[in-house]
Amino acid sequence: QVQLVESGGGLVQAGGSLRLTCSASGLTFSDYAMGWFRQAPGKEREFVAALSGRGDGTYYADSVNGRFTISRDNTKNLVYLYMNSLKPEDTAVYYCAATRVGVAGLAHLYDYWGQGSQVTVSS
């Protein structure tokens, strides 16, 4: 049974930083590209960042490029999202997801999803 569990969300002031962690189990972790998505109240889920199984390919949404960094530790089955220079518009529930397709920005290509972690950025 595949499980993805996010942690590390919380409340931060604008300009601050947070690190989200996603712990994966029940799958051959390095076979999967990992992605982060987010959903704000009243909005559709949107792509944030993705990373290939070996960690050698990344893809970022324009809105976070240069501020967020995705990385992974295949020895620990962990994927991280480092978020810097946070803005109030980054407030959302953040989800990690896994896909065998490769680095992808489309939610329907992902097979497994976590339950989400709330990030709130105050102005």
Side-chain angles (χ1 to χ4, degrees):
Q1 178 182 358
V2 176
Q3 280 195 314
L4 302 177
V5 180
E6 301 95 337
S7 61
L11 174 65
V12 63
Q13 288 189 330
S17 300
L18 277 177
R19 185 188 75 173
L20 299 179
T21 302
C22 175
S23 177
S25 61
L27 74 173
T28 304
F29 188 61
S30 59
D31 285 350
Y32 287 80
M34 299 298 294
W36 287 96
F37 290 77
R38 66 187 183 186
Q39 188 166 19
K43 296 188 177 181
E44 293 187 354
R45 189 169 300 190
E46 66 172 355
F47 169 73
V48 175
L51 179 63
S52 63
R54 293 186 300 181
D56 55 357
T58 57
Y59 177 38
Y60 293 94
D62 289 343
S63 59
V64 306
N65 197 20
R67 299 188 297 123
F68 291 10
T69 302
I70 187 171
S71 67
R72 65 192 296 158
D73 184 341
N74 284 354
T75 67
K76 298 179 179 178
N77 285 15
L78 298 174
V79 62
Y80 304 102
L81 184 68
Y82 295 85
M83 304 182 291
N84 297 314
S85 302
L86 282 161
K87 305 174 182 181
E89 52 263 44
D90 294 318
T91 295
V93 177
Y94 283 71
Y95 299 89
C96 72
T99 177
R100 298 196 66 162
V101 168
V103 174
L106 299 175
H108 74 271
L109 296 177
Y110 286 78
D111 304 303
Y112 304 106
W113 292 83
Q115 82 289 349
S117 182
Q118 177 70 47
V119 172
T120 303
V121 184
S122 63
S123 57

